[in-house]
Amino acid sequence: MSIILAHTDTPAGRAAREFAVREAQRRDADLILFPVDDAEPDPRAPELTGLDPDRVRVQRPDPRSRIAVGDLVDATGDEDVEAVVVGVRRRSPVGKILLGSAAQQIILEAECPVITVKPE
């Protein structure tokens, strides 16, 4: 079984990464780092200590795709995926209506449970 981390290099993304590592350990699952911005994930990063390096991998969006989040949502349909972990930031109710976000698309369209994490 696997957990997908919607990887971003933001405070919310770092909080999600910490949670995803703990969740992968708790579930004894593989961790898939899926970049949704320009930040390149490192499967050997020190933040991933505690996980077997052979159970951490990067899955990149299709290079022909314009929207990485759509590829991530498609990946949630794999029968092996247990959950997606995504970092979110605080937004006002009006901001949620007027501005779309990658996290919102993942939450609404993923075919597996989505765990949202806010930074402290």
Side-chain angles (χ1 to χ4, degrees):
M1 300 313 266
S2 301
I3 294 182
I4 296 177
L5 168 63
H7 182 273
T8 61
D9 191 22
T10 63
R14 289 186 286 278
R17 182 177 53 225
E18 290 174 17
F19 184 89
V21 167
R22 290 192 311 269
E23 191 67 11
Q25 290 170 328
R26 186 181 74 77
R27 295 182 187 220
D28 191 30
D30 295 348
L31 181 62
I32 300 170
L33 307 174
F34 199 106
V36 292
D37 63 6
D38 294 332
E40 184 61 30
D42 178 6
R44 308 281 186 231
E47 299 86 23
L48 302 175
T49 55
L51 292 177
D52 180 351
D54 294 331
R55 298 191 71 184
V56 178
R57 66 184 167 91
V58 176
Q59 181 175 340
R60 291 179 180 78
D62 186 327
R64 298 169 295 177
S65 179
R66 294 182 331 173
I67 302 173
V69 173
D71 290 343
L72 185 148
V73 169
D74 290 344
T76 65
D78 292 347
E79 60 189 47
D80 181 49
V81 177
E82 288 185 79
V84 176
V85 179
V86 61
V88 295
R89 57 189 165 96
R90 284 194 197 280
R91 292 174 35 197
S92 70
V94 173
K96 290 176 187 174
I97 292 171
L98 297 177
L99 301 173
S101 74
Q104 184 173 350
Q105 182 178 353
I106 294 167
I107 293 165
L108 294 174
E109 297 178 12
E111 296 183 36
C112 65
V114 178
I115 303 167
T116 60
V117 180
K118 290 182 184 177
E120 290 185 23

